[in-house]
């Protein structure tokens, strides 16, 4: 009876809301999940060029398996992941598994392999048994045109199971939403340019324009609604799986209880009003509806600096809360007490990386990406302190493959330990200190670190690292 009443009330609020705001049309749907069976997750991904309709406008899009929101890979630590990538594009492509602590070598998370048009690439990798639970994603990592591939739609989610072992048992019954944020621009009015600083053989690519309008979607939906009852707690996991843009997440009338980011659960819950999400980042939240009403989940207006971009405020989704109240669950204060603060360990090497911009593109330590060089060689077993300096007047965001980073200092100020990141925002003219533990055998091999604003990466802001015995 109570449930029926709740449904009716939600529907009435929804109808009333629809009168005022015709954009909300449908409930938020989670992405389709593919689960592993008996320790194996096997899937074929075929990117092709298609056309999609959003708000009555047609966009050229590049889609995996014909879907703007391709399957989300649901993995359990210890699983084997096998992917057959069939290139249906007129351009080279490949795959990267962002944030995952897996091998960068052979047919693992190896971004140096390329599938030419019509080619098939096989990926096979083991998710270590001690892999972090949390949110990750996959996307192409071709050097020189990764922006275009991701911006046109090639990205999908990965979830490594294990959240509910970190929360009190009653949280298992709560609604659990995965929200993948993508943004798309019409290619009709975009110019094409040739990138010369990147990989050999790269052809013309679109020049995406931050100042041109873009359509933001959540799981491919425009401003979907999320039903909730007063007092109810839900789990929201948000992924920025776009190419270039930042989000500044805010929920009207509510605080957000952040329990993790970038595929790592926090030591302690953080209470937040707004959360900056650089490209590639993920956040995990507990949301508790306080009062009945409609509340927009927004990205707030944001400037990335005087040489950067200005992103206007936008509505991502709308939380519709009815007043059939439920008893609020106590929000836990501690989530993950297994984390190691690397400041207690001995540092074996220190390095500095300076990010700059010039006429010829984007640079790290005055160099541009060269896939045939090794810029940084690290011995397995070392714990390194890296100082990353943003000498430019716009934000960059530092990302490294295969390994988690601990942020220890921002502009000389100590950062309290609460977890790790795989994407670290670098404000204009800032200096950040990081600790990187190159301690696990799976890290052996060559991989990359770069700015995760993919237009910057494509224009040279990326280097090669090799971990050796
Ligand atoms: Cu950058």
């Amino acid at each position: 009876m109570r449930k029926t009443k709740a449904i009716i009330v939600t529907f009435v609020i929804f109808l009333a809301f629809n009168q005022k705001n015709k954009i909300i049309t449908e409930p938020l749907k989670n992405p389709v999940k593919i689960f592993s069976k008996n320790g194996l997750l096997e899937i074929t991904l075929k990117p092709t060029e298609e056309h999609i309709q959003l708000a009555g406008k047609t966009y050229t899009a590049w889609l995996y398996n014909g879907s703007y929101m391709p399957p989300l890979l649901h993995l359990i630590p210890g699983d084997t992941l096998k992917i057959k990538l069939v290139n249906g594009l007129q351009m080279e492509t490949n795959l990267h598994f962002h944030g995952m602590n897996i091998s960068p070598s052979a047919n693992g998370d190896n971004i140096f392999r390329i599938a030419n048009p019509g080619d098939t690439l096989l990926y096979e990798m083991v998710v270590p048994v001690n892999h972090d639970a949390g949110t990750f994603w996959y996307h192409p990592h071709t050097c020189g045109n990764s922006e275009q591939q991701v911006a046109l739609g090639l990205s999908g989610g990965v979830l490594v199971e294990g959240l509910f072992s970190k929360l009190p048992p009653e949280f298992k019954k709560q609604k659990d939403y995965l929200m993948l944020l993508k943004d798309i621009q019409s290619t009709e009015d975009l110019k094409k340019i040739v990138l010369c600083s990147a990989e050999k053989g790269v052809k013309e690519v679109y020049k995406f324009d931050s100042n041109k309008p873009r359509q933001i979607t959540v799981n491919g939906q425009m401003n979907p609604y999320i039903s909730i009852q007063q007092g109810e707690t839900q789990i929201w996991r948000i992924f920025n799986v776009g190419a270039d843009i930042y989000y500044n997440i805010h929920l009207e009338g509510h605080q957000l209880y952040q329990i993790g980011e970038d595929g790592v659960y926090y030591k302690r819950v953080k209470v937040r009003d707004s959360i900056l999400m650089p490209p590639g980042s993920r956040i995990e939240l507990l949301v508790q509806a306080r009062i009945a009403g409609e509340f927009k989940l927004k990205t707030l207006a944001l400037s990335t600096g005087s040489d950067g971009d200005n992103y206007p405020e936008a509505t991502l989704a709308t939380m519709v809360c009815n007043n059939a109240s439920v008893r609020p669950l106590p929000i836990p204060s501690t989530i993950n007490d297994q984390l190691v603060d690397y400041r207690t360990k001995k540092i074996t090497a220190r390095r500095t990386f300076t990010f700059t911009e010039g006429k010829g593109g984007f640079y790290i330590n005055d160099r541009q990406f060269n896939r045939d060089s090794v810029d940084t060689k690290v011995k397995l077993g070392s714990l390194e302190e890296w100082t990353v300096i943003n000498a430019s007047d716009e934000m960059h965001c530092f990302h490294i493959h295969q390994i988690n980073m601990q942020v220890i200092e921002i502009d000389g100020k100590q950062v309290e330990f609460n977890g790790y990141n795989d994407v670290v925002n670098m404000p204009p003219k800032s200096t950040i200190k990081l600790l990187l533990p190159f301690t696990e055998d799976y890290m052996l091999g060559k991989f990359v670190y770069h700015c995760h604003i993919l237009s910057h990466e494509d224009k040279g802001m990326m280097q090669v690292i090799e971990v050796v015995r």
Side-chain angles (χ1 to χ4, degrees), residues 8 58 93 100 109 126 131 167 187 223 245 251 269 293 295 302 332 337 360-361 420 436 449 457:
I8 293 166
T58 304
T93 193
M100 293 195 72
D109 183 19
V126 175
H131 197 284
L167 291 172
T187 51
N223 191 10
I245 78 169
L251 177 63
V269 173
F295 305 95
L302 178 75
D337 45 21
Y420 315 124
L436 294 92
Y449 49 89
E457 174 196 315

Side-chain angles (χ1 to χ4, degrees), residues 132-363:
D132 291 309
T135 46
F136 307 89
W137 62 294
Y138 59 90
H139 64 88
H141 209 294
T142 49
C143 311
N145 57 44
S146 60
E147 179 194 34
Q148 163 159 331
Q149 303 214 7
V150 176
L152 293 180
L154 293 178
S155 60
V158 176
L159 194 66
V160 177
E161 191 174 288
L163 166 63
F164 294 103
S165 66
K166 295 187 162 53
L167 291 172
E170 54 275 27
F171 280 84
K172 213 171 173 177
K173 297 185 211 120
Q174 304 308 302
K175 280 202 189 118
D176 174 13
Y177 288 108
L178 302 161
M179 304 183 197
L180 278 73
L181 308 180
K182 288 192 179 187
D183 60 288
I184 193 161
Q185 285 192 336
S186 167
T187 51
E188 271 167 32
D189 29 57
L190 293 180
K191 288 191 198 111
K192 282 196 160 188
I193 51 163
V194 176
L195 287 178
C196 44
S197 66
E199 197 166 333
K200 294 167 206 149
V202 165
K203 302 163 200 87
E204 282 191 316
V205 294
Y206 287 111
K207 187 182 185 312
F208 291 88
D209 186 342
S210 315
N211 298 312
K212 289 220 163 107
R214 62 184 76 240
Q215 182 63 57
I216 295 175
T217 56
V218 183
N219 299 345
Q221 299 173 274
M222 285 170 303
N223 191 10
Y225 71 89
I226 302 162
S227 295
I228 194 165
Q229 294 181 53
Q230 193 177 333
E232 182 186 337
T233 311
Q234 295 186 349
I235 297 154
W236 293 6
R237 297 187 256 192
I238 306 179
F239 303 58
N240 182 353
V241 296
D244 299 308
I245 78 169
Y246 281 71
Y247 294 90
N248 193 7
I249 300 294
H250 170 76
L251 177 63
E252 285 179 342
H254 290 78
Q255 287 188 309
L256 301 165
Y257 301 97
Q258 190 174 2
I259 57 171
E261 65 186 282
D262 292 357
V264 179
Y265 290 105
Y266 281 162
K267 204 170 162 207
R268 283 177 304 281
V269 173
K270 273 198 214 170
V271 184
R272 316 286 305 267
D273 284 319
S274 64
I275 304 170
L276 185 70
M277 288 190 75
S281 64
R282 291 85 63 211
I283 56 172
E284 304 198 35
L285 310 169
L286 301 177
V287 172
Q288 201 161 64
R290 284 192 315 112
I291 42 168
E294 311 134 6
F295 305 95
K296 286 180 177 143
L297 176 67
K298 293 184 192 175
T299 177
L300 302 174
L302 178 75
S303 164
T304 65
S306 56
D307 282 350
D309 300 304
N310 289 296
Y311 297 117
E313 181 175 303
T315 300
L316 306 174
T318 301
M319 185 172 90
V320 179
C321 175
N322 68 60
N323 58 7
S325 67
V326 297
R327 188 176 56 84
L329 290 177
I331 302 290
S333 56
T334 306
I335 299 291
N336 193 356
D337 45 21
Q338 314 270 297
L339 299 175
V340 177
D341 182 346
Y342 290 105
R343 281 178 295 203
T344 60
K345 310 273 182 193
K346 188 176 178 286
I347 292 168
T348 54
R350 288 184 166 83
R351 300 175 202 265
T352 299
F353 300 93
T354 305
F355 287 60
T356 54
E357 300 179 7
K359 272 213 168 113
F362 291 72
Y363 303 82

Side-chain angles (χ1 to χ4, degrees), residues 4-154:
T4 315
K5 194 179 156 200
I7 291 166
I8 293 166
V9 172
T10 306
F11 189 64
V12 169
I13 291 175
F14 168 62
L15 281 183
F17 195 67
N18 241 354
Q19 293 288 314
K20 275 199 300 190
N21 185 346
K22 298 243 185 271
I23 301 166
I24 303 184
T25 53
E26 51 178 7
L28 176 70
K29 286 180 266 191
N30 271 329
V32 172
K33 286 184 198 163
I34 306 283
F35 292 86
S36 58
K37 276 184 204 135
N38 303 320
L40 175 66
L41 195 157
E42 217 170 353
I43 187 173
T44 297
L45 291 175
K46 183 176 183 183
T48 52
E49 180 166 306
E50 310 287 343
H51 292 94
I52 58 166
Q53 293 278 333
L54 289 168
K57 199 173 154 94
T58 304
Y59 292 85
T60 299
W62 288 7
L63 310 179
Y64 287 120
N65 303 354
S67 175
Y68 190 53
M69 190 44 56
L72 180 134
L73 313 178
H74 185 282
L75 292 160
I76 299 169
D79 278 349
T80 296
L81 173 61
K82 276 192 190 178
I83 297 184
K84 188 173 163 186
L85 177 71
V86 182
N87 188 358
L89 301 169
Q90 298 303 310
M91 183 181 270
E92 69 270 20
T93 193
N94 65 2
L95 282 173
H96 166 52
F97 302 88
H98 180 118
M100 293 195 72
N101 303 141
I102 50 179
S103 170
S105 302
N107 49 1
D109 183 19
N110 182 349
I111 57 113
F112 296 98
R113 292 200 307 158
I114 296 287
N116 284 310
D119 281 2
T120 293
L121 268 189
L122 298 175
Y123 290 86
E124 181 168 347
M125 59 214 91
V126 175
V127 182
V129 286
N130 60 349
H131 197 284
D132 291 309
T135 46
F136 307 89
W137 62 294
Y138 59 90
H139 64 88
H141 209 294
T142 49
C143 311
N145 57 44
S146 60
E147 179 194 34
Q148 163 159 331
Q149 303 214 7
V150 176
L152 293 180
L154 293 178

Side-chain angles (χ1 to χ4, degrees), residues 396 451 453 456 461:
H396 295 290
C451 176
I453 297 172
H456 298 178
M461 205 172 242

